[in-house]
Amino acid sequence: MAWKTAFRLLAAGMLALMAAVPSQAAPSQAVAPAPKLTYAFSMRIEVAPPVEQGEIDGARQRFIPITGGTISGPRLQGTVLPGGGDWQAINPGGLAVVHARYQLRAADGTVIGIDNQGVRVASAEVTERLARGEEVDPDAYYFRTTPVFAVADGPHAWLRRATFVARGIRKPDHVVIDVYQVE
């Protein structure tokens, strides 16, 4: 698990450095083109009501059980298996740190593990509305994650051989995660 954390930090640092590169580089400087994103698939993740743990280390801690769901898109189809969950730390100021772990079953029966960490940022009002399970316009908050997949060699090994970013949309009884491959 330590290598995954180190990899995530390295990837985040690399993305930050790429974002800091000026768009008009001096003629003598070689600048690689920015990576592009290619839509891979979406997950509709069904969730049970959150289990509130209270305030720990200055953040509101919650666990949200995953009860199932579906996967659709050009690169992957299947189901979200029940039994995983999303651990959240909602900090003052609107920053929620999310860490979801669960499993997928591809249409061909392959089981795929996913470790999906990220952040959701919103105003205090929007954060409370989301925490209460209310419908909120996804443009009212920032919800991004970096999924990492664990899968055996075979037709879905491409998931281990690329970096992904995702946009989350929180609905009252489910979450939609749109997954993009970084090219």
Side-chain angles (χ1 to χ4, degrees):
M1 287 308 228
W3 69 267
K4 284 186 180 181
T5 301
F7 177 77
R8 283 183 193 280
L9 291 172
L10 177 63
M14 288 173 45
L15 289 174
L17 284 173
M18 288 187 296
V21 172
S23 60
Q24 295 289 334
S28 64
Q29 293 178 329
V31 178
K36 69 175 189 163
L37 300 179
T38 301
Y39 172 67
F41 58 92
S42 293
M43 298 178 287
R44 178 189 165 109
I45 302 169
E46 306 294 331
V47 295
V51 177
E52 298 287 344
Q53 294 176 278
E55 188 169 317
I56 302 170
D57 295 330
R60 178 181 175 187
Q61 304 286 328
R62 321 166 15 124
F63 170 73
I64 301 172
I66 293 174
T67 61
T70 57
I71 307 161
S72 61
R75 301 285 316 267
L76 187 65
Q77 302 81 41
T79 58
V80 176
L81 298 175
D86 182 6
W87 288 259
Q88 298 182 352
I90 303 172
N91 295 279
L95 170 65
V97 177
V98 299
H99 184 182
R101 294 193 68 199
Y102 47 103
Q103 292 188 318
L104 314 174
R105 184 181 310 278
D108 68 0
T110 301
V111 175
I112 302 163
I114 180 171
D115 187 328
N116 200 6
Q117 297 183 44
V119 297
R120 188 181 67 218
V121 181
S123 68
E125 177 212 349
V126 169
T127 298
E128 280 308 308
R129 290 181 59 209
L130 288 166
R132 288 192 302 266
E134 295 179 17
E135 184 80 30
V136 177
D137 181 346
D139 289 334
Y141 55 91
Y142 175 91
F143 184 4
R144 303 294 187 271
T145 65
T146 54
V148 174
F149 300 94
V151 61
D153 286 337
H156 304 292
W158 63 275
L159 290 163
R160 285 195 337 257
R161 303 182 192 289
T163 297
F164 297 87
V165 295
R167 176 183 183 188
I169 301 171
R170 181 68 166 101
K171 298 290 188 176
D173 63 347
H174 69 277
V175 177
V176 175
I177 304 288
D178 297 321
V179 179
Y180 296 85
Q181 184 172 342
V182 179
E183 302 292 340

